Amino acid sequence: MQIPLQDSAYIDLHIHSTASDGSLTPVEIIETAKKAGLRAIAITDHDTLDGSVEALQYQHSSGIEILPGIEISANFDFGTMHILGYLIRLDDVSLRQTLKVIQEGRASRNIQIIKRLQGLGIDISHDEVSEASGGGQIGRPHIAQVLVNKRIVQNIDEAFNKFLRKGRPAYVKRYRLAPAEAIQAILRAGGVPVLAHPFTLNEKTEGGLDRILADLKQDGLKGVEVYYPDHGPDLTAQYQRLAHRHELLMTGGTDFHGTAKPGVYIGIGKGELRIPYRLVEALKQSASQTPS
Ligand code: AMP
Ligand code: FE
Ligand code: FE
Ligand code: ZN
């Protein structure tokens, strides 16, 4: 990884809390990040601002910088496209309205997944899933957790591979924004839209990624998540190149989910990640240029 050695303050800009499918509350995340010696974090829950809203209440008392964040799933037929949004206005009416529509689509999809599992002869109820979510937004990882608890599968991965992922019998598509809509929703809320973990697009060639990034940039994309636990040295270098070529800023984070994603730790990912604070400065500069 080409990070200069003089960087000594580190960050983690991709963290999930109990407001979506993470296992730590925002407060527990802040405490863990402080123990890890991080200077800044962002809680980027799937399709909800609740995690960031709660975390921001501790901005002043916590002694760590907390950037408002979110992660929005976009429609992309060939793979998974997630758009991170940083420094958004958390009270933005238009963004909140958009998220409400997404959340309703998610809720009706969850009911259909549970029905499908029941149709496969599995004893599972919405109440059990709701309990597994701890009161936050329900996602497939919570359904997977119930399947693990009931020993129908051995672990979360097996639940996805057997039942929940695309192409499996309990998979149900949910309403998603088009990439341009997700990007615009973030821009309208004064935020900085960033393409999350580009490898999940399933586009292996640099030329293909070039075209996707050119399109997303046209739509208003401002950055790429370059530093990520699953990006080895080659992918990291490729994403750095792409970011330079398309004049996109670079971000990084661990995608920490706690027990829902074992072996990934706040700030360090699988152990080696160190993401320098200077990336936050570029983000702030970009946000200050977004018309409000
Ligand atoms: P949902 O937002 O409800 O569609 O659930 C998607 C979330 O499930 C992702 O953000 C991941 O946290 C998790 N996930 C997706 N695929 C897998 C997998 N194969 N194994 C474990 N977790 C997964
Ligand atoms: Fe997740
Ligand atoms: Fe993601
Ligand atoms: Zn994530």
Side-chain angles (χ1 to χ4, degrees), residues 21 46 82 106 109 139-141 156-157 160 174 176 257:
D21 54 358
H46 301 287
H82 290 171
R106 177 186 277 283
R109 188 256 341 225
R140 282 180 292 166
I156 303 268
D157 261 353
F160 272 89
R174 69 183 170 87
R176 287 165 197 270
H257 281 71

Side-chain angles (χ1 to χ4, degrees), residues 53-74:
V53 168
E54 196 177 328
L56 262 293
Q57 292 171 3
Y58 300 92
Q59 170 77 280
H60 298 296
S61 56
S62 69
I64 186 167
E65 187 173 344
I66 301 164
L67 279 64
I70 191 164
E71 183 175 27
I72 300 179
S73 307

Side-chain angles (χ1 to χ4, degrees), residues 11 13 24 27 30 55 74 76-77 81 90 92 132 169 178 185 205 212 238 247 252 268-269 276 284:
I11 61 172
L13 300 183
L24 297 191
V27 172
I30 293 169
F76 186 69
D77 285 340
M81 185 187 285
L90 293 172
D92 186 83
T205 69
I212 294 171
Q238 182 182 50
E247 294 179 330
I268 56 171
K284 285 181 183 164

Side-chain angles (χ1 to χ4, degrees), residues 14 16 20-22 46-47 71 73 80 82 106 109-110 113 137-144 155-161 164-165 171-172 174 176 197 255 257 260-262:
H14 193 155
H16 294 269
S20 70
D21 54 358
H46 301 287
D47 307 321
E71 183 175 27
S73 307
T80 298
H82 290 171
R106 177 186 277 283
R109 188 256 341 225
N110 292 338
I113 294 179
Q137 174 174 263
I138 297 174
R140 282 180 292 166
H142 304 116
I143 301 176
N155 52 47
I156 303 268
D157 261 353
E158 191 187 335
F160 272 89
N161 288 331
L164 299 173
R165 72 174 168 83
Y171 176 78
V172 180
R174 69 183 170 87
R176 287 165 197 270
H197 40 65
D255 213 352
H257 281 71
K261 207 172 185 184

Side-chain angles (χ1 to χ4, degrees), residues 91-130:
D91 58 355
D92 186 83
V93 176
S94 149
L95 178 59
R96 284 190 167 267
Q97 185 53 39
T98 301
L99 294 175
K100 194 163 165 257
V101 176
I102 297 173
Q103 285 155 9
E104 285 163 2
R106 177 186 277 283
S108 66
R109 188 256 341 225
N110 292 338
I111 291 169
Q112 291 176 56
I113 294 179
I114 292 163
K115 277 200 184 130
R116 287 212 179 189
L117 289 169
Q118 289 166 343
L120 292 165
I122 293 167
D123 169 36
I124 185 169
S125 70
H126 195 277
D127 282 351
E128 289 167 328
V129 174
S130 181

